[in-house]
């Protein structure tokens, strides 16, 4: 029988795969359920799409459930998300009550599977209250935060904390994001799947057809930001940086590509602002893509000379990792998980302003040798640190620790 995981041996080495199987041995037959709030769009869905089948491939009974909610619920969770990332927002009590009501309804649906599971991973704030309504739970529950909650608006954190404190453990992407909680906290950075449609090598003909479809000129320099249209991703800052850089690179092209996520009600308003700022500049391509446009995004990241991710807050920034895997230096906002990935003069540049981004765009186009060297460094950097096999290993270790934490001695097969 062939296993999905074996295909990764060529990229990460056979030892890594053997190690995963060894770690999974004591967890054989256990049930793991991941819960989030959208099947498509955004980094969490991107990770779960592969994490779940790979965990199954290791003999662990993994499932992925998605909670449902109405627009009021997602309006509330978006405000909660923004407030946890530092916006000083006051969320009305009625909306917060609705958040709980929706979690109650979802708990009614999901209770049979969640209460029976050996491990439940609840992703982000949207489904965090489920625990409260699954009183007969049997397994360990882990709250997995993907956001930059390093400086949350205190009222928002207090609201969420009442649900999160009951978990057996929580996971944050960076040490700076961890909060004081009465249970073990783990740091696990996200990862990309090198064999997904988003990241596999593409034939030149496919790159060419994407280039032609979007009217990108092959002779002219191209910068790109691929992101949901979200204020924290600062697409307006990218347009400003592009306009400044054009003073020195007059024929520069910019692609801003993204879609919304099903749990993000703000995208449309941001998109309207983006169109206004682009002001019909023919060298700015604003592409609104469907949620399954993985190969198109892959191609755009490969077509770009430089990838930008000018976020002002970023939990991790998988788009940064994806670009680096394709050998692209990244100019990224000096924030959150981007700081973990972008190292000045090695893998790209951290910037705080459109002026800073424009300066680095100019630098990279003026130093093609340095840009090429960075392109080699970035791919190896991702191979060593940010591929999905590393994240699967850390999840196995975490489950193992929660299951056997008090044992003096653990024998691996
Ligand atoms: N993405 C996508 N389509 C889009 C915009 C983004 O498939 O229109 C993907 C992107 O390639 C990446 C993920 O969604 O894999 C975004 O993750 P990231 O951590 O960068 O940001 P998030 O959206 O989770 O804040």
């Amino acid at each position: 029988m062939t296993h999905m995981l074996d295909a990764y041996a060529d990229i990460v080495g056979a030892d890594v795969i053997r190690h995963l199987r060894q770690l999974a041995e004591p967890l054989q037959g256990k049930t793991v359920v991941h819960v989030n709030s959208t099947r498509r769009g955004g980094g969490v869905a991107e990770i779960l799409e592969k994490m779940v089948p790979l965990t199954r491939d290791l003999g662990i009974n993994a499932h992925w459930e998605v909670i449902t909610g109405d627009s009021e619920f997602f309006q509330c969770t978006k405000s909660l998300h923004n407030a946890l990332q530092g916006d000083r927002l006051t969320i009305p009590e009625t909306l917060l009550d609705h958040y709980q009501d929706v979690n109650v309804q979802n708990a009614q649906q999901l209770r049979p599977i969640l209460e029976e599971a050996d491990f439940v991973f609840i992703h982000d704030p949207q489904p965090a209250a489920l625990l409260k309504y699954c009183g007969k739970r049997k397994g360990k529950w882990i709250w997995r935060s993907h956001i930059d909650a390093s400086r949350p608006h205190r009222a928002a954190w207090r609201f969420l904390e009442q649900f999160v404190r009951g978990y057996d453990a929580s996971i944050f992407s960076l040490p700076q994001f961890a909060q004081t909680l009465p249970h073990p906290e783990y740091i696990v950075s996200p990862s990309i799947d090198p064999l997904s449609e988003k990241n596999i090598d593409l034939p030149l003909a496919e790159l060419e057809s994407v280039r032609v479809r979007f009217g990108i000129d092959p002779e002219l320099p191209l910068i790109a930001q691929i992101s949901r249209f979200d204020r924290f991703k600062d697409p307006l800052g990218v347009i400003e940086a592009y306009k400044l850089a054009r003073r020195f690179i007059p024929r520069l092209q910019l692609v801003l590509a993204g879609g919304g996520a099903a749990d993000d009600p703000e995208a449309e308003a941001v998109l309207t602002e983006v169109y206004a700022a682009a002001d019909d500049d023919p060298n700015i391509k604003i592409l609104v893509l469907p949620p399954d446009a993985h190969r198109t995004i892959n191609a755009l990241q490969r077509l770009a000379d430089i990838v930008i991710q000018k976020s002002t807050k970023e939990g991790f920034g998988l788009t940064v990792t994806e670009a680096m895997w394709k050998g692209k230096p990244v100019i990224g906002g000096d924030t959150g998980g981007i700081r973990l990935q972008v190292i000045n003069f090695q893998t790209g540049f951290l910037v705080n302003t459109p002026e800073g981004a424009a300066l680095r765009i100019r630098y990279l186009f003026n130093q093609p040798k340095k840009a090429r060297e960075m392109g080699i460094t970035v791919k190896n950097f991702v191979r060593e640190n940010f591929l999905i096999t590393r994240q699967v290993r850390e999840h196995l270790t975490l489950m193992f620790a929660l299951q056997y934490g008090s044992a003096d001695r653990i024998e691996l097969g």
Side-chain angles (χ1 to χ4, degrees):
M1 190 164 122
T2 54
H3 287 281
M4 244 174 117
L5 259 171
D6 295 336
Y8 292 78
D10 286 345
I11 300 169
V12 295
D15 279 356
V16 168
I17 307 302
R18 260 198 302 280
H19 187 204
L20 289 181
R21 296 204 188 285
Q22 203 178 26
L23 272 176
E25 195 57 37
L27 297 165
Q28 292 301 292
K30 298 277 183 212
T31 303
V32 181
V33 186
H34 289 268
V35 185
N36 81 325
S37 62
T38 177
R39 184 89 47 198
R40 294 160 137 202
V44 181
E46 194 81 22
I47 291 169
L48 291 180
E49 199 158 277
K50 220 33 170 307
M51 172 71 78
V52 170
L54 285 178
T55 311
R56 291 181 87 93
D57 197 56
L58 285 163
I60 297 164
N61 207 354
H63 300 269
W64 175 10
E65 300 291 339
V66 176
I67 59 163
T68 53
D70 54 11
S71 61
E72 214 182 336
F73 173 74
F74 288 118
Q75 197 189 324
C76 173
T77 57
K78 181 75 189 186
S79 300
L80 196 53
H81 175 104
N82 290 351
L84 290 165
Q85 295 213 127
D87 280 2
R88 299 193 62 76
L89 290 170
T90 303
I91 307 170
E93 281 295 319
T94 47
L95 267 189
L96 294 175
D97 289 345
H98 188 60
Y99 165 85
Q100 293 208 53
D101 292 344
V102 169
N103 269 271
V104 171
Q105 290 154 19
N106 279 282
Q108 275 160 6
Q109 291 275 319
L110 297 173
R111 206 172 277 134
I113 174 163
L114 297 184
E115 285 187 340
E116 280 308 304
D118 297 296
F119 301 96
V120 177
F121 288 78
I122 299 287
H123 294 262
D124 282 336
Q126 296 92 329
L130 285 176
L131 174 72
K132 183 173 169 190
Y133 307 110
C134 290
K136 296 199 184 116
R137 69 171 163 129
K138 175 175 134 216
K140 306 285 186 193
W141 282 52
I142 301 113
W143 184 61
R144 199 324 174 197
S145 167
H146 294 269
I147 54 187
D148 175 354
S150 49
R151 299 171 70 87
H153 185 37
R154 291 322 297 182
W157 173 247
R158 267 198 307 276
F159 173 75
L160 187 66
E161 198 242 0
Q162 64 177 311
F163 306 113
V164 169
R165 58 183 302 116
Y167 281 70
D168 298 291
S170 46
I171 308 178
F172 297 88
S173 295
L174 262 77
Q176 295 88 313
F177 299 168
Q179 296 290 325
T180 307
L181 285 164
H183 56 230
E185 295 176 48
Y186 296 84
I187 306 301
V188 178
S189 44
S191 61
I192 59 160
D193 175 10
L195 297 179
S196 68
E197 300 274 278
K198 181 69 64 58
N199 296 309
I200 45 163
D201 283 342
L202 294 178
L204 280 179
E206 188 167 349
L207 294 187
E208 188 55 15
S209 88
V210 170
R211 193 188 63 67
V212 170
R213 174 148 55 106
F214 295 121
I216 297 166
D217 188 325
E219 303 301 324
L220 304 186
L222 176 66
I223 57 175
Q225 173 161 302
I226 316 288
S227 263
R228 291 181 296 106
F229 289 101
D230 178 306
R231 290 206 171 79
F232 285 123
K233 310 284 183 187
D234 198 18
L236 299 182
V238 178
I239 294 179
E240 219 178 309
Y242 154 87
K243 287 182 179 166
L244 291 167
R246 276 198 74 142
R247 293 187 195 158
F248 306 99
I249 313 160
R251 306 181 76 206
L252 187 62
Q253 305 174 99
L254 165 66
V255 163
L256 277 176
D263 59 352
D264 181 359
E266 273 176 15
E268 219 165 283
V270 176
L271 193 54
T272 307
E273 293 166 21
V274 166
Y275 279 121
D279 198 20
D280 291 330
D281 181 334
N283 284 320
I284 303 181
K285 319 278 176 199
I286 299 164
L287 313 178
V288 180
L289 301 173
D292 58 354
H294 301 304
R295 289 183 84 98
T296 307
I297 289 176
N298 185 342
L300 290 169
Q301 287 166 331
R302 288 176 194 281
L303 288 167
D305 297 293
I306 301 168
V307 170
I308 318 272
Q309 189 55 59
K310 219 205 118 337
S311 309
T312 54
K313 286 275 176 184
E314 190 63 76
F316 182 69
L318 282 177
T319 49
V320 172
T321 335
E322 289 162 4
M324 287 184 176
W325 182 245
K326 289 151 194 144
K328 306 297 165 173
V330 174
I331 297 175
D334 184 5
T335 185
I338 298 179
R339 287 188 182 143
L340 201 64
Q341 305 186 73
V342 175
I343 301 163
N344 281 332
F345 291 96
Q346 304 291 322
T347 63
F349 291 101
L350 290 171
V351 296
N352 289 290
T353 57
E355 290 78 7
L359 190 79
R360 295 316 190 180
I361 293 168
R362 190 180 169 199
Y363 173 89
L364 284 169
F365 280 115
N366 281 339
Q367 308 276 340
K369 186 163 167 277
K370 182 72 188 159
R372 267 197 308 279
E373 280 166 17
M374 281 182 168
I376 296 167
T377 307
V378 285
K379 181 150 190 181
N380 289 329
F381 184 69
V382 173
R383 192 194 313 277
E384 276 162 33
N385 298 292
F386 298 121
L387 294 186
I388 192 152
T389 38
R390 190 268 309 146
Q391 198 178 357
V392 170
R393 186 189 74 225
E394 289 180 342
H395 274 207
L396 292 174
T397 314
L398 188 155
M399 290 191 276
F400 196 81
L402 289 175
Q403 185 84 23
Y404 301 100
S406 57
D408 290 342
R409 188 187 160 96
I410 299 152
E411 295 286 346
L412 287 181

